[in-house]
Amino acid sequence: MKMKVLLVFGTRPEAIKMCPVVKALEQCKDVETVVCVTGQHREMLAQVLQVFDVKPRYDLAIMKERQTLFDITIAILDHFRTILEQEKPDVILVHGDTTTAFASALAGFYMNIPVGHVEAGLRTYNLQSPYPEEFNRQAVDIITNYYFAPTELAKKNLLKEGKKEEDIFVTGNTVIDALKTTVRKEYRHEALDWAEGSRLILLTAHRRENLGEPLRHMFRAINRICTEFEDIKIIYPIHMNPAVRAAAKEELAGNDRIKLIEPLDVLDFHNFMSRSYLILTDSGGIQEEAPAMGKPVLVMRDTTERPEGIEAGTLKLVGTSENGVYTAFRELLDNKAEYEKMSKAVNPYGDGTASEQIAAILKERLGRK
Ligand code: UD1
Ligand code: UDP
């Protein structure tokens, strides 16, 4: 009988990192692969599914405008339970640190179904930063049976917490697998044509703990820099969160060297990254992609669970104050030597075979039973 693996995810970054795993599992003829999306995101999730041509068997379609953590958790527990009763999978695979990952893993635990955690072991050990993600990933790892850690450091965190070594597998990050399929030399886009001849700065921001004042501080710093440096152009694909969109429009619209656009699909975004001079972000996934492309990143957060990129020299943690962002941004634009140092390509996240490794490990471990 085929073993049944149910992958569940719901947001853009989870989809980008789980679609390669779906593809790898689909190559195994003794595995039945079932994809369930929670629909925590809607348009931003649909973009990724389309690029990777992944067709979910289930879409829980839970997204609501300005949803709270209660809304997401309750809706997933309620709907996902029914799917689990119907499908009775041998294992559930969740990803990372979203509320989709937490609530889905919890549902699996309540039904005594083993859980595999892709991108396990990332930590800041500060429950407020990132919030609520640090709680989500620690909580998932209490429940997890198979830990797919992207790096040795992530494995170390898990060992420190008493997880069993035989259940931890260092595979690299599946985002590197995704990157192999998206970046193209001949890629063109009208927004890139607009930036031609200038240093292109790519900007993203969305974290819950940055909504409100921190976001406004970042935007003000960026606006100031844009006024002072005439040779830069900024492209900002704005997250669909209405709170982010309102702040971005209020603070940044009207500056003709800042282009505010809709979220890019992942193929576009990766190619924009590869053409950019530097990136400003509070995103998690971008901190993993940038070192693989040798693109300097100013991380507009107070903590990071991805110290590998800092060690590699590609990332700099700059906080969220107007002055902090302004000073670091200015320094990197002015200081060529510093820039060159940061853009030395080092990829701490594996060789792009993480998904195949995860599929092989699951086959071996579940096959034993
Ligand atoms: C979620 C994750 C965060 C992850 C981020 C990636 C949680 C608690 N947060 O945060 O860890 O870094 O996704 O982007 O799991 N919206 C749309 N369309 C979409 C997506 C979002 O309209 O396709 C709007 C909705 O109004 C929604 C709001 O954005 O209510 C916020 O979405 P939500 O998933 O709650 O939070 P994110 O900030 O996206
Ligand atoms: N991304 C994208 N389109 C965009 C912005 C980002 O496809 O307009 C990709 C990016 O390459 C990365 C992921 O989305 O793989 C990061 O997602 P996000 O910042 O929403 O979440 P986080 O990684 O912070 O959880």
Side-chain angles (χ1 to χ4, degrees), residues 6-218:
L6 194 158
L7 299 96
V8 56
F9 49 91
T11 65
R12 168 172 68 192
E14 297 170 273
I16 292 169
K17 293 163 169 181
M18 286 292 250
C19 284
V21 184
V22 172
K23 295 289 173 193
L25 285 164
E26 282 175 351
Q27 296 299 311
C28 308
K29 54 181 183 336
D30 40 358
V31 174
E32 181 184 351
T33 307
V34 180
V35 175
C36 172
V37 293
T38 62
Q40 178 177 335
H41 284 175
R42 192 163 44 216
E43 300 86 343
M44 286 162 50
L45 175 69
Q47 287 179 314
V48 184
L49 296 173
Q50 199 193 0
V51 167
F52 287 98
D53 191 28
V54 165
K55 296 182 176 62
R57 189 175 295 177
Y58 302 98
D59 181 355
L60 309 182
I62 62 147
M63 198 198 89
K64 291 205 286 203
E65 179 141 331
R66 293 180 190 261
Q67 59 205 359
T68 66
L69 299 176
F70 287 95
D71 296 328
I72 307 169
T73 308
I74 292 165
I76 292 174
L77 276 177
D78 191 22
H79 292 89
F80 193 46
R81 173 191 186 164
T82 316
I83 308 294
L84 291 179
E85 283 168 351
Q86 210 163 303
E87 289 289 346
K88 301 188 175 59
D90 296 299
V91 66
I92 302 169
L93 286 190
V94 303
H95 183 277
D97 55 20
T98 65
T99 299
T100 282
F102 164 64
S104 308
L106 183 59
F109 176 69
Y110 284 166
M111 294 193 60
N112 281 311
I113 299 170
V115 170
H117 188 193
V118 181
E119 201 177 278
L122 275 62
R123 298 287 185 268
T124 61
Y125 294 110
N126 176 349
L127 288 180
Q128 297 305 316
S129 175
Y131 173 89
E133 289 82 0
E134 181 63 17
F135 164 77
N136 287 340
R137 55 194 172 217
Q138 289 196 33
V140 170
D141 283 337
I142 294 174
I143 291 166
T144 294
N145 304 77
Y146 308 108
Y147 300 91
F148 300 107
T151 62
E152 286 296 335
L153 185 73
K155 175 175 175 176
K156 251 193 217 153
N157 290 335
L158 293 165
L159 289 173
K160 245 185 347 203
E161 292 168 18
K163 316 306 188 216
K164 285 198 243 136
E165 183 153 22
E166 73 245 37
D167 297 332
I168 307 172
F169 310 92
V170 178
T171 59
N173 195 305
T174 57
V175 80
I176 304 298
D177 312 17
L179 273 181
K180 285 206 299 198
T181 68
T182 50
V183 180
R184 293 169 192 175
K185 252 208 178 99
E186 71 286 0
Y187 177 84
R188 294 204 59 166
H189 191 285
E190 58 181 18
L192 293 179
D193 294 342
W194 166 81
E196 190 74 41
S198 298
R199 292 191 279 182
L200 169 62
I201 316 297
L202 196 57
L203 166 65
T204 83
H206 71 83
R207 300 235 77 81
R208 259 170 208 263
E209 69 272 16
N210 287 343
L211 299 179
E213 277 310 295
L215 209 53
R216 287 181 186 275
H217 285 171
M218 294 176 198

